[in-house]
Amino acid sequence: MGNREDLLAGARRCLEEKGWARTTVRDITAASGGVSMAAIGYHFGSREALLNAALIDAIDEWGTETGRTLAAFGAEGAAPAERYEAMWDRIIESFSTHRTLWLASIEALIQAEHSEDLRRYLAGAQAQGRLGLAAILNGVEEDAVGVEAARSLGAVQMALLSGLMTQWLTDPDQAPTSADVVAGLRELTRIVGPDHP
C-alpha cells in the first residue's frame, strides 16, 4: 500500500477504536505505520477530510455487507411477519458486531454540520437506504421501487432503524427486541386503523 491507502486504513482503525472527536493527527500517523503528518495534508488536505474519507469507505463497505445480509432474511416459506422479525434480528445483531461503525455513523451526523461534502454523502446514503429497505420489504429490485414506497415504507424503516440503534447503543438490556418491534407495529396499526379513501 502507498501512503494514501495507509493513512485511510489508519484513520479507519482510529475511528473504530477512538471515535471521531478523540482521534488526533498523531493517532492516525501511528496507526498508519508511521506515515508522516505532512502526508495527511498532501493527500487529504486536513485531518477532517481524511476522517471523512475513511468514514465513507467504512460505511460503504458496511452498507454493502448489510444489504446482502438483509436481502436473505427469514426462512424460505416463512410468513411475512416472521421474515420481518428475522430481518430485525439481523439488524439488532449488527449493533453488536459493528458497534464501532454504528457509533461512527452517529458522530458523522454531527461532523456533517461542518462538512458540506460529508452532509451530501450522508443524505445520499440515507436515500439509498430508504430505497434499499423498501425494495427488500417488497421483494423487488431497487429499480422497481416507486418514489412513494421509498418515501413512506423506506423512510419509516430508516426511522425505526435509527431509533432502535440509539436505544441499543445506549442501553441494550432495555432496548426493544425484534419481537417487540413487530408487536409495536401491530399496536400502531390498531391505533391508526385501515386506510380510508
Side-chain angles (χ1 to χ4, degrees), residues 45-56:
S46 69
R47 166 195 164 272
E48 290 74 18
L50 169 54
L51 288 173
N52 284 353
L55 182 62
I56 287 169

Side-chain angles (χ1 to χ4, degrees), residues 3-183:
N3 283 349
R4 186 177 199 288
E5 293 77 19
D6 288 340
L7 286 168
L8 276 170
R12 182 166 170 177
R13 272 194 297 283
C14 289
L15 282 172
E16 292 173 356
E17 293 169 7
K18 301 185 91 166
W20 188 291
R22 293 187 0 228
T23 294
T24 66
V25 168
R26 204 173 297 278
D27 294 329
I28 295 168
T29 59
S32 59
V35 176
S36 75
M37 288 186 220
I40 293 174
Y42 176 76
H43 289 289
F44 295 95
S46 69
R47 166 195 164 272
E48 290 74 18
L50 169 54
L51 288 173
N52 284 353
L55 182 62
I56 287 169
D57 280 355
I59 290 173
D60 281 346
E61 180 183 307
W62 170 77
T64 300
E65 177 189 329
T66 301
R68 279 194 306 267
T69 299
L70 293 183
F73 71 90
E76 191 69 34
E82 292 171 326
R83 288 176 49 80
Y84 186 75
E85 188 172 325
M87 181 188 82
W88 282 105
D89 280 336
R90 296 234 178 140
I91 292 171
I92 289 168
E93 181 183 323
S94 79
F95 298 151
S96 296
T97 58
H98 294 292
R99 180 179 175 82
T100 56
L101 280 176
W102 285 106
L103 289 168
S105 71
I106 292 172
E107 283 191 286
L109 292 173
I110 296 164
Q111 296 305 318
E113 281 295 307
H114 311 289
S115 169
E116 184 60 25
D117 288 342
L118 184 57
R119 190 197 63 73
R120 272 195 308 274
Y121 168 79
L122 292 174
Q126 286 178 355
Q128 186 62 40
R130 289 190 294 268
L131 183 66
L133 284 167
I136 288 168
L137 292 170
N138 281 313
V140 299
E141 296 295 319
E142 287 183 6
D143 59 1
V145 174
V147 174
E148 268 309 305
R151 288 211 40 87
S152 58
L153 180 61
V156 167
Q157 294 311 297
M158 287 288 288
L160 282 170
L161 185 123
S162 299
L164 195 59
M165 172 190 59
T166 57
Q167 291 182 63
W168 269 89
L169 292 176
T170 305
D171 186 5
D173 293 333
Q174 298 300 315
T177 65
S178 58
D180 294 332
V181 170
V182 172

